[in-house]
Amino acid sequence: MIQQVKHDIFYVLYNRKYRLLILLTILLTAGLTIYTAVNTNAGEDILILVFGSFRQMYWIICAYFIADLLSTDYHSQTFKNIIPKLSIRNHYYLSKIIVATLLGIVILLIHVVTSWLTIGSLAAGIELNYFNLSYFLCGALLSLLFYSSMLAFVIAISGKETVTIGVALGLILLQALMEGLDPVVSAHFPTMYVSTLHDLVSANLLTGIISISCYLIFTFLLFIGTIKIFSKQDLFT
């Protein structure tokens, strides 16, 4: 398990496209922060407004790198070099999901830090409102785990990188289109959960607990389904 996690972490660290995604995050965040500061009168809520503008792009970035990380061995046909080293096959996808989730959290934190530093350089001393960071990160963690597990299930079924990336981006766009239809329902969407979890729990603790429980249960079921499918696949023919 630890060996597989190291393998996936090194893949991320030494892969140029992931460094470019981090650079893209920094540039997008700085650009959106400057644009918002210059063109709106958001006052103390400016950082919340910046994240609102960045949120959909954040999920498109996450969809891409999660799908890429999960499908890299299918694309390069390197299972023969990896799977024999694992004592248990479920370690393979568990590692992918863990690393994908951690990378998503890192990118989110890079956005937060960049937006704070940028607005601090433009308007030093101003008091700013922001999300409750505990719920903010918890919402991100739950939605990233769920999304990673769902895409792991997709790649295990299809075995194709293009299908996985298509589903990943398609679901993000579908949620973006549906967000305005019913705010009560869309507050539970993975793409909204980062910014809505605190309000859900504060408004109704029972609803918040049920929502969190559903995320954990569906994530677990998707992971178990992925392992069941993966364990029966012949990867060496």
Side-chain angles (χ1 to χ4, degrees):
M1 174 63 184
I2 296 177
Q3 191 65 30
Q4 181 62 33
V5 171
K6 287 181 179 178
H7 170 83
D8 291 327
I9 290 175
F10 284 137
Y11 173 78
V12 170
L13 291 176
Y14 292 104
N15 196 311
R16 184 170 175 266
K17 61 182 145 188
Y18 289 99
R19 294 196 293 271
L20 289 176
L21 286 178
I22 290 174
L23 178 60
L24 177 63
T25 299
I26 294 171
L27 293 176
L28 277 173
T29 299
L32 285 171
T33 304
I34 293 170
Y35 177 84
T36 304
V38 172
N39 293 281
T40 66
N41 188 25
E44 296 176 348
D45 293 327
I46 186 169
L47 291 177
I48 295 175
L49 192 61
V50 169
F51 179 73
S53 301
F54 176 75
R55 181 173 55 82
Q56 295 296 351
M57 184 57 67
Y58 167 72
W59 277 106
I60 290 173
I61 291 172
C62 287
Y64 171 76
F65 77 69
I66 292 172
D68 177 77
L69 186 60
L70 289 168
S71 60
T72 178
D73 292 313
Y74 286 90
H75 176 74
S76 57
Q77 296 295 308
T78 53
F79 280 115
K80 292 181 180 180
N81 301 326
I82 296 174
I83 298 301
K85 299 178 182 179
L86 300 180
S87 56
I88 303 175
R89 272 196 180 191
N90 58 16
H91 289 174
Y92 175 81
Y93 272 117
L94 182 58
S95 171
K96 298 284 185 184
I97 291 169
I98 290 172
V99 173
T101 300
L102 289 176
L103 181 57
I105 296 293
V106 167
I107 289 178
L108 186 62
L109 290 174
I110 288 172
H111 162 77
V112 172
V113 172
T114 303
S115 61
W116 275 91
L117 290 176
T118 304
I119 200 64
S121 65
L122 295 174
I126 185 173
E127 292 187 6
L128 299 170
N129 297 323
Y130 206 62
F131 302 101
N132 182 299
L133 282 179
S134 297
Y135 285 98
F136 188 69
L137 294 176
C138 183
L141 180 66
L142 289 168
S143 51
L144 285 164
L145 282 171
F146 171 76
Y147 208 69
S148 299
S149 299
M150 181 173 56
L151 293 182
F153 186 76
V154 171
I155 189 67
I157 291 175
S158 67
K160 295 183 179 179
E161 179 183 27
T162 53
V163 172
T164 307
I165 292 176
V167 170
L169 295 176
L171 287 173
I172 296 300
L173 295 175
L174 180 62
Q175 289 175 86
L177 292 173
M178 294 177 63
E179 281 179 5
L181 299 180
D182 189 341
V184 176
V185 175
S186 64
H188 299 271
F189 286 0
T191 52
M192 292 285 291
Y193 219 53
V194 178
S195 51
T196 60
L197 179 59
H198 180 250
D199 292 337
L200 288 172
V201 174
S202 299
N204 190 314
L205 181 59
L206 180 60
T207 300
I209 292 173
I210 292 172
S211 179
I212 292 171
S213 299
C214 287
Y215 264 90
L216 293 173
I217 290 169
F218 280 111
T219 297
F220 178 74
L221 291 176
L222 285 166
F223 178 71
I224 294 299
T226 301
I227 295 307
K228 293 286 187 183
I229 295 169
F230 191 55
S231 63
K232 296 177 181 178
Q233 290 179 341
D234 183 1
L235 304 171
F236 309 110
T237 57

